[in-house]
Amino acid sequence: MSQKFHALIPGIVLLAATIFPLSLASAQAVSLQEQLAAQYKLVKMGSDTGGYSVVEAGTLLAIQKGGILGVPYSDQTVLATKYEGGTVHSPSSLLVQGKKSLLGHFSQTQSQGQTTHLFAVGDKVYPTKIEVNVASDKVSMGIVACDTCNKTDPPTYNKAQVVFQFPKGALANASAGQVEDVIGQLLSISSDDAQQGGGQGGNDQQGNNQQGGDQGAAQGQAQQQAPPPEPQQIEKGQTPDQVKAALGNPDKIVNLGSKQIFVYKDLKVTFINGKVSDVQ
């Protein structure tokens, strides 16, 4: 084996030692990001002459701890809020004021008059993006306000970026479930998200039941308000066919030649020569 090849071996070993960990970290990041993407459906936003709006809702998240700093959706610069060790670290006031002093405002046009906004506990938001950085042990999630859920009128669609900082080396070996547990400490999947479809169906069912009840009540009221039917009258001289039309078929018929008796549950109709002669 040549001396030149021996000289190259340390370099090859060093290169492999550098490449393989990066490859493993990259594979872990892709796998973890795919799993998180499957868990958190991203919202689709759109805009028209009326402004921004939600085109397709994503997974509805409920904020569990206050301090996430939001900015107008039109703002191109988002100050990240860090979540580490169970604590929310909002951007410092000096950084916020410095950014505002530098730009003069946070929206694209100063006339919009929009400012920063701190999300409150219980506010509902949608995820807009998820990024995993195994090398830095960070998971970043963009969020945007669900103004219809928060009953914000007029809508703002304030957005924010949250960086979940994990201990050094922890993210490389963390499962998607473990990462989701940490995210859930700050941004939990809202119970309303699972009930949106069922709840609407329940409302529809309740509406149908109520509608059916209303119809039944209306029918009952109509029946109560309808005048009772006139009593059937049997008169002397009526034929057997006329009596059947009024009372229905008799339970029994007694034929005695010229005399015929229709026997009903509560009465007897006697015919002489085909005409009613007596009713008992």
Side-chain angles (χ1 to χ4, degrees):
M1 188 177 294
S2 66
Q3 294 181 349
K4 290 184 178 180
F5 183 76
H6 280 292
L8 289 175
I9 290 178
I12 295 174
V13 172
L14 179 60
L15 180 62
T18 304
I19 292 176
F20 286 123
L22 291 176
S23 299
L24 291 174
S26 178
Q28 170 69 6
V30 171
S31 175
L32 183 58
Q33 181 150 336
E34 289 175 348
Q35 293 178 70
L36 293 177
Q39 175 70 4
Y40 301 100
K41 179 183 176 183
L42 303 184
V43 67
K44 292 184 179 179
M45 300 291 294
S47 62
D48 53 23
T49 55
Y52 294 98
S53 62
V54 174
V55 176
E56 183 177 338
T59 300
L60 189 62
L61 304 174
I63 293 179
Q64 301 300 307
K65 298 180 180 181
I68 300 177
L69 184 70
V71 298
Y73 192 80
S74 59
D75 190 4
Q76 301 300 316
T77 302
V78 182
L79 300 177
T81 298
K82 181 186 288 187
Y83 183 75
E84 184 177 10
T87 303
V88 177
H89 300 277
S90 305
S92 67
S93 58
L94 292 177
L95 178 60
V96 174
Q97 292 299 326
K99 182 72 68 173
K100 187 173 182 180
S101 298
L102 179 64
L103 298 178
H105 47 83
F106 274 92
S107 57
Q108 287 183 333
T109 58
Q110 192 170 7
S111 61
Q112 290 177 340
Q114 294 176 309
T115 59
T116 56
H117 168 77
L118 284 174
F119 286 97
V121 174
D123 282 351
K124 304 296 195 308
V125 297
Y126 292 124
T128 58
K129 66 176 181 179
I130 299 175
E131 295 179 351
V132 176
N133 189 328
V134 174
S136 300
D137 292 295
K138 294 179 180 179
V139 174
S140 299
M141 178 180 288
I143 58 174
V144 63
C146 175
D147 288 323
T148 55
C149 308
N150 302 329
K151 298 181 180 179
T152 304
D153 188 23
T156 61
Y157 296 112
N158 285 316
K159 63 181 180 180
Q161 182 181 0
V162 181
V163 176
F164 295 89
Q165 182 67 62
F166 291 81
K168 185 175 181 180
L171 201 56
N173 300 315
S175 66
Q178 292 172 327
V179 174
E180 291 165 13
D181 289 342
V182 174
I183 294 175
Q185 295 173 10
L186 181 62
L187 300 170
S188 66
I189 296 179
S190 172
S191 58
D192 297 337
D193 186 69
Q195 296 175 0
Q196 280 179 350
Q200 185 175 359
N203 292 335
D204 291 343
Q205 183 177 2
Q206 181 179 2
N208 291 335
N209 291 340
Q210 182 177 0
Q211 183 178 5
D214 293 342
Q215 290 178 350
Q219 291 176 356
Q221 291 177 357
Q223 291 176 355
Q224 292 177 358
Q225 294 175 359
E230 294 183 0
Q232 299 295 335
Q233 294 183 357
I234 304 300
E235 299 177 352
K236 284 187 177 182
Q238 287 182 333
T239 65
D241 290 339
Q242 289 174 324
V243 173
K244 288 181 181 179
L247 302 179
N249 292 325
D251 297 330
K252 295 180 182 179
I253 298 177
V254 180
N255 284 313
L256 300 173
S258 61
K259 184 177 180 180
Q260 190 177 41
I261 301 174
F262 281 5
V263 180
Y264 290 93
K265 181 179 180 181
D266 299 323
L267 57 82
K268 294 179 181 179
V269 182
T270 302
F271 300 89
I272 301 294
N273 295 324
K275 303 291 184 181
V276 174
S277 62
D278 188 24
V279 178
Q280 296 177 348

